[in-house]
Amino acid sequence: MPLWQRAATTSALVLISVAAAVADEFAFDFQKSLETPDKVSVSILSLEGDLEITTHDEPEVLITATKRIEASTKELASEIAGRLEIRVVQSNDKVTIETVMGTMTREERSLLARLLGGSHEVVARIDFNITVPVHCDLSIASQSGTISADQVRGPVSVKASSAHIVLNGIEGAVDVDNGSGSTTGELLFGPVTVRQAAGTVSLQWVEGDIRVKAGSADVDVVQERGALEVVTASGSINIKTNLDSSRDYYVQTESGNINLLLPETSSGKLHIGSEAGQIRTDIPVTLKSLSKKQMVGEFGSGGVSITLMSRLGDVSVDQF
């Protein structure tokens, strides 16, 4: 079964809930270090909990984790912590870090049932701090929590059900699939792809192509160079780009507003459409066609094509 499917299947075992009761939090620490090549691939399957990834110049993966168990008794917390395993597997230049709930015998399940007593609540999570070599290919699958990765010189892939994702200083391709929550990226030096159903997407100072597909999400982009494609169902879209690409720019939303900022000296072809909203541009445009619902024209010396479409929202283009 793929890693991501196992995450969805296993997470139900990490949250054990019955009638609410007063619970305390008990912490159980975990540490492990692995010698690796200078360039390594690291895959992380994290269930409930926060995940922080940092880098260093050493050929070593350092793992620090804390199992946090909310339970009515220390005995019950210890039982759950013992079954919530952190599995670390290394094969040459690949490291896999996985959190799973271990299987129980019939007697152990019976003990756990007696400990629960039908009137308690248990919540388990693992918070990770992982340091990897700076030249690292990073793949993360998680349910929820805060996921951060900083200064990774390799591709980064993140899949989450509902997470707050923070990426900074990534020098490889970025691929994010987030159900809801937020995705924030700053100083990204490579193509960026984000798929997100709801929440917010903020990509700042990106040097590379950007593709965003979202549902009801607000999208905010500052792009140094690269082409761009943003498609949403609703939510505001704010884009500032240097228009440094030979490929087209395309922005579409059903009910959100679109605001585009372009350099004063830029050139291109502009196609703006809105069925129910207002269309406005503050840049000098040589019109090819104009109606209440759309405007087509060129600015500067022409060139790259820019399409901005909102069915119900307003569309505006300004200079900086």
Side-chain angles (χ1 to χ4, degrees), residues 15-188:
L15 298 178
I16 304 173
S17 269
V18 285
V22 176
D24 294 321
E25 182 177 272
F26 301 91
F28 304 85
D29 293 332
F30 173 93
Q31 289 185 334
K32 191 175 183 65
S33 63
L34 301 169
E35 292 186 4
T36 67
D38 290 332
K39 181 173 174 55
V40 64
S41 296
V42 178
S43 297
I44 303 167
L45 170 59
S46 174
L47 299 176
E48 304 293 330
D50 296 336
L51 174 60
E52 181 180 2
I53 307 295
T54 56
T55 60
H56 61 178
D57 293 326
E58 302 299 324
E60 188 177 25
V61 173
L62 304 175
I63 307 166
T64 300
T66 302
K67 301 177 185 180
R68 304 188 186 278
I69 313 297
E70 294 182 15
S72 56
T73 67
K74 186 175 182 178
E75 183 183 13
L76 177 56
S78 297
E79 179 67 26
I80 298 301
R83 293 294 172 258
L84 185 55
E85 299 179 31
I86 300 173
R87 295 178 183 172
V88 181
V89 179
Q90 182 179 11
S91 176
N92 297 323
D93 60 347
K94 296 182 180 180
V95 175
T96 301
I97 304 165
E98 183 177 3
T99 60
V100 295
M101 181 67 80
T103 58
M104 295 184 184
T105 66
R106 180 179 300 178
E107 291 76 13
E108 288 170 334
R109 288 196 298 269
S110 177
L111 171 62
L112 183 58
R114 292 198 304 272
L115 288 170
L116 285 169
S119 61
H120 302 291
E121 181 181 76
V122 176
V123 178
R125 58 179 283 159
I126 302 180
D127 295 331
F128 280 97
N129 292 92
I130 302 174
T131 303
V132 300
V134 67
H135 295 284
C136 176
D137 295 353
L138 185 61
S139 177
I140 299 170
S142 179
Q143 291 296 302
S144 62
T146 297
I147 302 169
S148 66
D150 188 63
Q151 306 301 321
V152 177
R153 296 179 187 172
V156 175
S157 172
V158 182
K159 292 184 179 181
S161 294
S162 177
H164 299 288
I165 300 170
V166 181
L167 306 176
N168 180 64
I170 309 300
E171 296 187 16
V174 170
D175 189 288
V176 173
D177 191 339
N178 194 10
S180 63
S182 63
T183 298
T184 301
E186 186 170 349
L187 294 174
L188 307 179

Side-chain angles (χ1 to χ4, degrees), residues 234-247:
S234 63
S236 62
I237 301 175
N238 297 291
I239 297 170
K240 180 180 180 181
T241 179
N242 285 328
L243 213 62
D244 184 3
S245 175
S246 60
R247 292 192 295 274

